[in-house]
Amino acid sequence: NAGVTQTPKFQVLKTGQSMTLQCAQDMNHNSMYWYRQDPGMGLRLIYYSASEGTTDKGEVPNGYNVSRLNKREFSLRLESAAPSQTSVYFCASRHRNGTRTYEQYFGPGTRLTVT
Amino acid sequence: DAKTTQPNSMESNEEEPVHLPCNHSTISGTDYIHWYRQLPSQGPEYVIHGLTSNVNNRMASLAIAEDRKSSTLILHRATLRDAAVYYCILIKYYNQGGKLIFGQGTELSVKP
């Protein structure tokens, strides 16, 4: 069981370049999430997918798009990277069954620098 | 959403108990209290959660005040590996999105 995997681990982009961060989970979880963490701060939710086929905005969605490709995979795209998007990006997943709230499992993160 | 307040930092000695406090005076009846921690250079990991009663698991214990306006995460014997940022998060029971709202957390350092 690999849990939640993210690729790449590190990335440097120039302003205006685009890229896609990949996330996959092998726990058969329904819900998946993308967070960003700036230095010295807590995580902030960018987008989430409560179930396959749905996506919703979180606290800080501007400048990002997401795709829930299938139940396993949830990607985050930066169309035109800006220095303000320099951050560590974490993907997470969670089982969902009715109304109960289950814990989230996080990936190791992608460290992105935009110059 | 109800907010939580935690001390910015705490120190502990190795093999001693640690009590990490969290205030949540505006908690509602449908809010669960969750704790996550983030080890250096890693993603957060779930620690424990509770609603009204005290809870124990292999990682920690959670003590919840009778009025639920505060809670305490207890690490019974701190190890160097427990040095991390600990986040206290309120999540509504009927939170279909499962979204987590992280505050600043408490940075715990453990001295040998």
Side-chain angles (χ1 to χ4, degrees), chain B residues 42-63:
Chain B
Q42 293 189 28
E45 64 175 343
Y46 166 81
V47 178
I48 200 167
H49 77 277
L51 184 62
T52 56
S53 305
N54 294 346
V55 184
N56 301 298
N57 66 20
R58 62 174 181 82
M59 288 181 73
S61 296
L62 177 59

Side-chain angles (χ1 to χ4, degrees), chain A residues 2-115:
Chain A
V4 179
T5 57
Q6 294 184 234
T7 54
K9 287 189 168 48
F10 300 92
Q11 184 71 50
V12 179
L13 290 178
K14 289 184 165 44
T15 297
Q17 287 184 319
S18 62
M19 78 161 294
T20 300
L21 280 64
Q22 306 287 354
C23 174
Q25 52 89 11
D26 62 1
M27 297 173 282
N28 202 33
H29 286 170
N30 312 88
S31 303
M32 297 185 73
Y33 307 82
W34 277 106
Y35 296 86
R36 62 176 285 176
Q37 185 173 34
D38 299 329
M41 306 279 288
L43 282 71
R44 291 182 294 169
L45 182 65
I46 305 171
Y47 270 94
Y48 68 103
S49 171
S51 60
E52 191 179 352
T54 69
T55 60
D56 284 288
K57 295 178 181 178
E59 295 176 73
V60 289
N62 291 343
Y64 305 95
N65 285 303
V66 290
S67 294
R68 183 74 184 267
L69 304 168
N70 48 54
K71 192 171 186 181
R72 287 188 64 245
E73 298 171 289
F74 189 37
S75 63
L76 179 73
R77 183 159 178 83
L78 287 70
E79 290 291 351
S80 179
S84 60
Q85 294 177 304
T86 294
S87 191
V88 181
Y89 291 83
F90 291 101
C91 178
S93 71
R94 171 183 88 103
H95 178 60
R96 180 181 162 206
N97 180 6
T99 56
R100 183 181 159 179
T101 298
Y102 290 80
E103 60 270 23
Q104 291 189 18
Y105 292 81
F106 285 80
T110 293
R111 282 151 182 78
L112 176 66
T113 301
V114 183
T115 60

Side-chain angles (χ1 to χ4, degrees), chain B residues 1-106:
Chain B
D1 290 328
K3 288 196 171 181
T4 63
T5 305
Q6 300 176 252
N8 287 335
S9 62
M10 291 184 65
E11 274 189 359
S12 171
N13 293 317
E14 196 175 12
E15 298 193 3
E16 288 186 358
V18 182
H19 288 65
L20 296 162
C22 181
N23 286 320
H24 27 78
S25 57
T26 60
I27 191 170
S28 74
T30 56
D31 285 331
Y32 273 79
I33 302 158
H34 282 237
W35 284 81
Y36 282 75
R37 72 179 185 180
Q38 187 174 20
L39 303 173
S41 299
Q42 293 189 28
E45 64 175 343
Y46 166 81
V47 178
I48 200 167
H49 77 277
L51 184 62
T52 56
S53 305
N54 294 346
V55 184
N56 301 298
N57 66 20
R58 62 174 181 82
M59 288 181 73
S61 296
L62 177 59
I64 301 172
E66 203 170 323
D67 64 4
R68 300 207 330 122
K69 292 185 187 301
S70 65
S71 60
T72 302
L73 180 70
I74 302 166
L75 307 179
H76 295 286
R77 288 185 67 205
T79 68
L80 296 179
R81 198 193 172 275
D82 292 321
V85 179
Y86 287 79
Y87 297 98
C88 169
I89 303 171
L90 302 182
I91 304 177
K92 294 223 175 289
Y93 182 79
Y94 293 106
N95 184 342
Q96 291 299 296
K99 296 172 285 184
L100 298 178
I101 298 177
F102 287 81
Q104 297 277 55
T106 296

